[in-house]
Structures are given as C-alpha cells and as structure tokens.
Amino acid sequence: MIYCSKCGTQHEDNTYKCVKCEALLHTPAVESAPRIVQEHIPDYLVWSILTTLFCCLPVGIVAIVYSAQVGSKVKDGDIEGARGSSKKAKMWCWISLGSWVAIVLIGIIVALVGGALSQSH
Ligand SMILES: [Zn+2]
C-alpha cells in the first residue's frame, strides 16, 4: 500500500495519482537534474609521441598538437571541439604511421632490387 504524501489517503501500490487531491504518488525514477557529461575523449597523445619518435617527425608533431588540444578543450567544456581534435590527432597518427610504413616498404624494395641487380652481374 502507498499513502498520499499530501492528504494521507491510502492507495494501491501501482496507483499513479491520488484520487482525492491528484498529487503524484510516485516520484519519477529519472532525475530531472542535468547530468554532467563525463565522456572520455581519447587524446591519442601516447600514439602521437610514439609515431613522432619512430615514424615521421613533422607529421607526428601535428598529431601531438591536436592531442594537446583535446585536453585543453575538455577543460574549457568544448566537448565538440575536443572530439574534433581527437579525430584529427588519430588521423595524423595514421598518416605518420602510413608514411613510415611506405618509407620502410620503399627501402625494402630498393634493397631487393639493388640486391637482385648486383647478383645478376
Ligand atoms: Zn492526496
């Protein structure tokens, strides 16, 4: 059983409104207070530093700059901006990694071709 908080009338548990005074018997489960957005936005800072050190320095620095922006934009409450910087940091990490892979592949091809040419003589 449930009692009206206003007039004390007894009701069944599933009664939504008091039949006497129309007061709501059940407070809504969902709180109306605005929830603070606690969204984790990856800054890819570790990846940026790693790609800078091991892959492509100029491209890696661009990634680091975007990574640093993510943190400062989250602090300012600019979630959309932080998301954008996060995406860009990720993209530049991939570009850095991709260019490194391309350089390594070209190096391997050059070495193989060079080796094959020197063997043919
Ligand atoms: Zn009532």
Side-chain angles (χ1 to χ4, degrees):
M1 294 297 259
I2 187 167
Y3 295 91
C4 175
S5 58
K6 269 189 178 175
C7 66
T9 310
Q10 217 177 54
H11 297 280
E12 293 295 323
D13 278 338
N14 56 358
T15 313
Y16 173 65
K17 257 183 180 180
C18 175
V19 288
K20 236 183 178 179
C21 68
E22 294 206 320
L24 296 179
L25 298 174
H26 293 278
T27 48
V30 183
E31 280 189 24
S32 55
R35 281 195 305 150
I36 301 156
V37 182
Q38 285 289 348
E39 189 183 332
H40 177 70
I41 299 168
D43 58 10
Y44 300 106
L45 189 60
V46 175
W47 282 106
S48 304
I49 291 166
L50 285 177
T51 51
T52 305
L53 290 176
F54 296 106
C55 305
C56 189
L57 185 73
V59 180
I61 285 169
V62 177
I64 287 175
V65 168
Y66 280 121
S67 298
Q69 279 182 7
V70 175
S72 61
K73 280 183 178 174
V74 168
K75 261 188 199 165
D76 294 343
D78 183 9
I79 300 298
E80 276 303 308
R83 268 199 210 117
S85 294
S86 173
K87 268 186 187 171
K88 279 174 186 155
K90 187 185 173 188
M91 186 186 78
W92 282 102
C93 280
W94 280 111
I95 290 171
S96 178
L97 196 66
S99 55
W100 177 76
V101 169
I103 289 164
V104 168
L105 282 177
I106 289 166
I108 289 169
I109 289 164
V110 168
L112 285 176
V113 170
L117 283 176
S118 63
Q119 272 174 16
S120 65
H121 283 287

